[in-house]
Amino acid sequence: ATLAILVSFFIGVLIFMSGLILNSEKVRTYGIGEIYEALATAIIVIMFMLIAAVMMGLIPGLVVGPIDPYNTSLVYINNTISSAENLFTALFNTNMAASFYASFGIDISSVVYASLITGVFSQAILILYVLPAQAIGAVLVQGLLVLHIEFYLILFFMYASIPVFLIPGIIFRALLPTRAMGGMLIAISIGFYLIMPLLFSIAYFFTNTTVLSSLNQETAAINAYGSGANSQANAVSPTSPLVETLGNIQSSMGAFWLSVLFYPALITAATYMAVITIAEFIGGFAHKTAKVGLL
């Protein structure tokens, strides 16, 4: 970053010296403007580094504790992924057993009690537990896909924002033809390195406890009622424990999708608007000003 800023100052000084050599007031004025632009770039980078090093710990610390937004966001998403996977595993295991017993016909054997129960109530098990469990499992799979995308998106920008976007943005902003592109790259680094993880950490504070608690409780209930001898008897009526647990899972899916889809979509939209605004201010506004100075 320091080398890129020095390049910006060097270009401005070079233009200013050319104006002195050519005795051109317009070129000298333009060179002074470029030096000011390099100074503005230096201030932007210094503020970026200051916020990244200090404020990223202090601002979320006022809300969620003394931890940085990246740690908060990634741990939250990872915990949600783990809880959702555990719930999906529990649903899958019990659903496989329920599907097996629900496929039986009527069996009046007095030797195996489970066969008698599941034979008579096989359609009830299928309707009340198997089909709803499959539907919930499909929803969880889609939610897990979204969570993994969010996780690796945050991880990518954590490592790529400075070397891939900020440094080239400083260099491009030093050149008039590419100044708008440089402003956009710097804005992307600011938006996705600072704003997005900070918003995710705030969303973590509002949704983490409720969602994880619900998923863990429902996983424990599925494992408790869906295992052991005659466990399928827990899914033969609307008031059976497994069926009621499915109802609780369906009720908690609203909070799950708020955490998985709504808040990330809102955060992405807010980050996009911030990037566009910052890019216009850093790149577009400076570009227009430079054109006026040339004229």
Side-chain angles (χ1 to χ4, degrees), residues 176-243:
L176 181 60
T178 59
R179 182 155 294 159
M181 181 187 298
M184 177 60 71
L185 291 176
I186 294 175
I188 290 174
S189 67
I190 293 174
F192 286 94
Y193 190 79
L194 300 177
I195 298 175
M196 186 177 69
L198 182 62
L199 294 178
F200 265 110
S201 68
I202 295 174
Y204 154 81
F205 172 75
F206 289 108
T207 61
N208 178 60
T209 304
T210 302
V211 172
L212 293 184
S213 177
S214 298
L215 292 177
N216 293 333
Q217 289 177 2
E218 289 147 6
T219 300
I222 290 290
N223 288 328
Y225 296 125
S227 60
N230 302 324
S231 60
Q232 302 310 312
N234 292 327
V236 297
S237 72
T239 58
S240 298
L242 280 175
V243 179

Side-chain angles (χ1 to χ4, degrees), residues 75-92:
V75 168
Y76 159 57
I77 295 177
N78 183 68
N79 290 341
T80 307
I81 289 174
S82 299
S83 298
E85 286 178 345
N86 291 335
L87 177 58
F88 179 81
T89 301
L91 284 172
F92 177 82

